[in-house]
Short mmCIF file of all heavy atoms in Angstrom, two decimals:
data_model
loop_
_atom_site.label_atom_id
_atom_site.label_comp_id
_atom_site.label_asym_id
_atom_site.label_seq_id
_atom_site.Cartn_x
_atom_site.Cartn_y
_atom_site.Cartn_z
N LEU F 22 27.01 2.06 -115.43
CA LEU F 22 26.81 0.82 -114.74
C LEU F 22 26.26 1.16 -113.32
O LEU F 22 26.37 2.27 -112.86
CB LEU F 22 28.05 -0.05 -114.60
CG LEU F 22 29.13 0.33 -113.54
CD1 LEU F 22 30.24 -0.72 -113.54
CD2 LEU F 22 29.72 1.68 -113.80
N PRO F 23 25.66 0.13 -112.59
CA PRO F 23 25.26 0.46 -111.25
C PRO F 23 26.43 0.39 -110.30
O PRO F 23 27.06 -0.65 -110.12
CB PRO F 23 24.26 -0.70 -110.92
CG PRO F 23 24.63 -1.80 -111.88
CD PRO F 23 25.23 -1.17 -113.10
N SER F 24 26.84 1.52 -109.75
CA SER F 24 27.94 1.57 -108.79
C SER F 24 27.51 0.82 -107.52
O SER F 24 28.36 0.11 -106.90
CB SER F 24 28.30 2.97 -108.46
OG SER F 24 28.86 3.63 -109.57
N LEU F 25 26.26 1.00 -107.10
CA LEU F 25 25.71 0.35 -105.96
C LEU F 25 24.60 -0.54 -106.49
O LEU F 25 23.65 -0.08 -107.13
CB LEU F 25 25.19 1.38 -105.00
CG LEU F 25 24.95 1.00 -103.55
CD1 LEU F 25 26.27 0.69 -102.85
CD2 LEU F 25 24.24 2.10 -102.81
N MET F 26 24.65 -1.90 -106.15
CA MET F 26 23.71 -2.81 -106.68
C MET F 26 22.89 -3.41 -105.56
O MET F 26 23.44 -4.12 -104.71
CB MET F 26 24.43 -3.90 -107.53
CG MET F 26 23.51 -4.64 -108.44
SD MET F 26 24.44 -5.28 -109.91
CE MET F 26 25.79 -6.22 -109.14
N ASP F 27 21.63 -3.14 -105.54
CA ASP F 27 20.76 -3.56 -104.46
C ASP F 27 20.22 -4.95 -104.80
O ASP F 27 19.41 -5.16 -105.75
CB ASP F 27 19.55 -2.58 -104.32
CG ASP F 27 18.77 -2.78 -103.04
OD1 ASP F 27 18.92 -3.85 -102.42
OD2 ASP F 27 18.03 -1.85 -102.64
N LEU F 28 20.61 -5.95 -104.02
CA LEU F 28 20.20 -7.33 -104.21
C LEU F 28 19.08 -7.79 -103.22
O LEU F 28 18.67 -8.93 -103.29
CB LEU F 28 21.39 -8.29 -104.03
CG LEU F 28 22.61 -7.96 -104.86
CD1 LEU F 28 23.69 -8.98 -104.56
CD2 LEU F 28 22.22 -7.98 -106.34
N ARG F 29 18.61 -6.86 -102.46
CA ARG F 29 17.55 -7.20 -101.47
C ARG F 29 16.30 -7.64 -102.22
O ARG F 29 15.88 -7.14 -103.24
CB ARG F 29 17.22 -5.99 -100.63
CG ARG F 29 18.38 -5.61 -99.60
CD ARG F 29 18.06 -4.34 -98.86
NE ARG F 29 17.96 -3.20 -99.79
CZ ARG F 29 17.77 -1.97 -99.37
NH1 ARG F 29 17.62 -1.72 -98.06
NH2 ARG F 29 17.73 -0.94 -100.27
N GLY F 30 15.74 -8.74 -101.68
CA GLY F 30 14.52 -9.32 -102.31
C GLY F 30 14.85 -10.45 -103.27
O GLY F 30 13.97 -11.21 -103.65
N MET F 31 16.16 -10.59 -103.67
CA MET F 31 16.50 -11.70 -104.54
C MET F 31 16.79 -12.91 -103.67
O MET F 31 17.07 -12.89 -102.49
CB MET F 31 17.75 -11.31 -105.31
CG MET F 31 17.60 -10.18 -106.26
SD MET F 31 19.14 -9.81 -107.15
CE MET F 31 19.37 -11.41 -108.07
N PRO F 32 16.60 -14.14 -104.27
CA PRO F 32 16.83 -15.40 -103.50
C PRO F 32 18.29 -15.71 -103.36
O PRO F 32 19.10 -15.42 -104.23
CB PRO F 32 16.06 -16.45 -104.30
CG PRO F 32 16.21 -15.93 -105.73
CD PRO F 32 16.14 -14.43 -105.64
N ASP F 33 18.64 -16.32 -102.22
CA ASP F 33 19.98 -16.88 -102.09
C ASP F 33 20.01 -18.28 -102.70
O ASP F 33 19.04 -18.74 -103.36
CB ASP F 33 20.48 -16.85 -100.63
CG ASP F 33 19.70 -17.86 -99.73
OD1 ASP F 33 18.86 -18.64 -100.26
OD2 ASP F 33 19.97 -17.87 -98.50
N LEU F 34 21.08 -19.01 -102.42
CA LEU F 34 21.24 -20.39 -103.03
C LEU F 34 20.12 -21.30 -102.63
O LEU F 34 19.75 -22.20 -103.41
CB LEU F 34 22.56 -20.94 -102.58
CG LEU F 34 23.03 -22.25 -103.15
CD1 LEU F 34 23.22 -22.18 -104.67
CD2 LEU F 34 24.30 -22.71 -102.50
N PHE F 35 19.51 -21.09 -101.46
CA PHE F 35 18.41 -21.93 -100.98
C PHE F 35 17.09 -21.33 -101.07
O PHE F 35 16.15 -21.84 -100.43
CB PHE F 35 18.78 -22.39 -99.51
CG PHE F 35 20.10 -23.03 -99.41
CD1 PHE F 35 21.20 -22.45 -98.95
CD2 PHE F 35 20.24 -24.40 -99.82
CE1 PHE F 35 22.46 -22.99 -98.84
CE2 PHE F 35 21.46 -25.05 -99.74
CZ PHE F 35 22.58 -24.34 -99.26
N GLY F 36 16.95 -20.24 -101.82
CA GLY F 36 15.67 -19.61 -102.00
C GLY F 36 15.26 -18.65 -100.93
O GLY F 36 14.16 -18.09 -100.99
N ARG F 37 16.10 -18.40 -99.94
CA ARG F 37 15.75 -17.43 -98.92
C ARG F 37 15.98 -16.04 -99.45
O ARG F 37 16.93 -15.75 -100.19
CB ARG F 37 16.66 -17.58 -97.66
CG ARG F 37 16.44 -18.92 -96.94
CD ARG F 37 17.28 -19.02 -95.72
NE ARG F 37 17.00 -17.95 -94.79
CZ ARG F 37 17.67 -17.83 -93.61
NH1 ARG F 37 18.68 -18.65 -93.26
NH2 ARG F 37 17.33 -16.86 -92.77
N GLU F 38 15.09 -15.14 -99.14
CA GLU F 38 15.13 -13.74 -99.65
C GLU F 38 16.22 -12.97 -98.97
O GLU F 38 16.33 -12.92 -97.75
CB GLU F 38 13.76 -13.07 -99.40
CG GLU F 38 13.67 -11.69 -100.04
CD GLU F 38 12.29 -11.11 -99.83
OE1 GLU F 38 11.34 -11.57 -100.51
OE2 GLU F 38 12.18 -10.17 -99.03
N LEU F 39 17.12 -12.39 -99.76
CA LEU F 39 18.18 -11.53 -99.23
C LEU F 39 17.53 -10.29 -98.60
O LEU F 39 16.66 -9.62 -99.14
CB LEU F 39 19.12 -11.08 -100.36
CG LEU F 39 19.90 -12.23 -101.00
CD1 LEU F 39 20.72 -11.76 -102.21
CD2 LEU F 39 20.77 -13.01 -100.03
N GLN F 40 17.99 -9.98 -97.39
CA GLN F 40 17.41 -8.89 -96.64
C GLN F 40 18.26 -7.59 -96.60
O GLN F 40 17.70 -6.47 -96.58
CB GLN F 40 17.21 -9.33 -95.15
CG GLN F 40 16.28 -10.49 -95.02
CD GLN F 40 14.85 -10.20 -95.36
OE1 GLN F 40 14.35 -9.14 -95.12
NE2 GLN F 40 14.21 -11.15 -96.04
N VAL F 41 19.56 -7.74 -96.59
CA VAL F 41 20.47 -6.54 -96.42
C VAL F 41 21.56 -6.39 -97.49
O VAL F 41 22.42 -5.56 -97.37
CB VAL F 41 21.13 -6.60 -95.05
CG1 VAL F 41 20.07 -6.47 -93.95
CG2 VAL F 41 21.92 -7.87 -94.80
N SER F 42 21.58 -7.30 -98.48
CA SER F 42 22.68 -7.35 -99.42
C SER F 42 22.66 -6.17 -100.44
O SER F 42 21.82 -6.20 -101.35
CB SER F 42 22.69 -8.71 -100.15
OG SER F 42 22.87 -9.74 -99.21
N ILE F 43 23.54 -5.28 -100.32
CA ILE F 43 23.74 -4.20 -101.27
C ILE F 43 25.20 -4.24 -101.63
O ILE F 43 26.07 -4.11 -100.74
CB ILE F 43 23.39 -2.82 -100.68
CG1 ILE F 43 21.89 -2.78 -100.24
CG2 ILE F 43 23.65 -1.72 -101.74
CD1 ILE F 43 21.47 -1.51 -99.54
N THR F 44 25.53 -4.44 -102.91
CA THR F 44 26.91 -4.66 -103.30
C THR F 44 27.54 -3.41 -103.87
O THR F 44 26.94 -2.67 -104.64
CB THR F 44 26.93 -5.73 -104.45
OG1 THR F 44 26.32 -6.92 -104.02
CG2 THR F 44 28.36 -6.02 -104.96
N GLY F 45 28.76 -3.13 -103.39
CA GLY F 45 29.58 -2.01 -103.93
C GLY F 45 30.16 -2.44 -105.24
O GLY F 45 31.42 -2.63 -105.36
N HIS F 46 29.32 -2.54 -106.30
CA HIS F 46 29.75 -3.12 -107.58
C HIS F 46 30.93 -2.41 -108.21
O HIS F 46 31.91 -3.04 -108.65
CB HIS F 46 28.51 -3.10 -108.50
CG HIS F 46 28.65 -3.73 -109.80
ND1 HIS F 46 29.04 -5.05 -109.97
CD2 HIS F 46 28.48 -3.24 -111.08
CE1 HIS F 46 29.09 -5.36 -111.30
NE2 HIS F 46 28.77 -4.31 -111.95
N ALA F 47 30.85 -1.08 -108.25
CA ALA F 47 31.96 -0.34 -108.86
C ALA F 47 33.23 -0.43 -108.07
O ALA F 47 34.37 -0.45 -108.66
CB ALA F 47 31.57 1.14 -109.01
N ASP F 48 33.13 -0.51 -106.73
CA ASP F 48 34.33 -0.67 -105.90
C ASP F 48 35.01 -2.04 -106.23
O ASP F 48 36.23 -2.14 -106.21
CB ASP F 48 33.98 -0.61 -104.40
CG ASP F 48 33.85 0.82 -103.93
OD1 ASP F 48 34.28 1.77 -104.65
OD2 ASP F 48 33.35 1.02 -102.78
N GLU F 49 34.18 -3.09 -106.40
CA GLU F 49 34.81 -4.40 -106.63
C GLU F 49 35.52 -4.37 -107.97
O GLU F 49 36.57 -4.96 -108.12
CB GLU F 49 33.64 -5.41 -106.70
CG GLU F 49 33.07 -5.69 -105.31
CD GLU F 49 32.02 -6.79 -105.33
OE1 GLU F 49 31.21 -6.89 -106.28
OE2 GLU F 49 31.98 -7.57 -104.40
N ILE F 50 34.94 -3.72 -108.94
CA ILE F 50 35.61 -3.63 -110.32
C ILE F 50 36.86 -2.77 -110.19
O ILE F 50 37.91 -3.14 -110.72
CB ILE F 50 34.67 -2.99 -111.29
CG1 ILE F 50 33.39 -3.92 -111.48
CG2 ILE F 50 35.37 -2.86 -112.68
CD1 ILE F 50 32.34 -3.25 -112.31
N ALA F 51 36.79 -1.72 -109.39
CA ALA F 51 37.96 -0.83 -109.24
C ALA F 51 39.15 -1.55 -108.60
O ALA F 51 40.28 -1.42 -109.03
CB ALA F 51 37.63 0.44 -108.41
N ALA F 52 38.80 -2.37 -107.59
CA ALA F 52 39.88 -3.13 -106.93
C ALA F 52 40.45 -4.20 -107.85
O ALA F 52 41.72 -4.36 -107.85
CB ALA F 52 39.28 -3.77 -105.63
N ALA F 53 39.61 -4.83 -108.58
CA ALA F 53 40.13 -5.88 -109.50
C ALA F 53 41.07 -5.25 -110.51
O ALA F 53 42.10 -5.82 -110.85
CB ALA F 53 38.95 -6.59 -110.18
N ALA F 54 40.67 -4.14 -111.05
CA ALA F 54 41.52 -3.47 -112.06
C ALA F 54 42.89 -3.10 -111.55
O ALA F 54 43.86 -3.17 -112.24
CB ALA F 54 40.79 -2.22 -112.62
N SER F 55 42.93 -2.73 -110.27
CA SER F 55 44.22 -2.30 -109.69
C SER F 55 45.20 -3.41 -109.58
O SER F 55 46.43 -3.20 -109.49
CB SER F 55 43.98 -1.63 -108.30
OG SER F 55 43.68 -2.65 -107.38
#
């Protein structure tokens, strides 16, 4: 899976392009599992 997920360039709720959003995807899953 992508441990780090780069969301830059994707639109937000209002269509604005995300500029800095990089998600710690694996960390979020690890925390949920705990």
Side-chain angles (χ1 to χ4, degrees):
L22 79 173
S24 293
L25 198 67
M26 198 152 53
D27 192 344
L28 304 181
R29 292 174 296 183
M31 296 181 62
D33 70 6
L34 185 62
F35 302 101
R37 296 182 61 182
E38 185 177 289
L39 298 174
Q40 300 293 322
V41 296
S42 297
I43 302 175
T44 302
H46 186 55
D48 279 347
E49 291 184 321
I50 300 169
S55 71

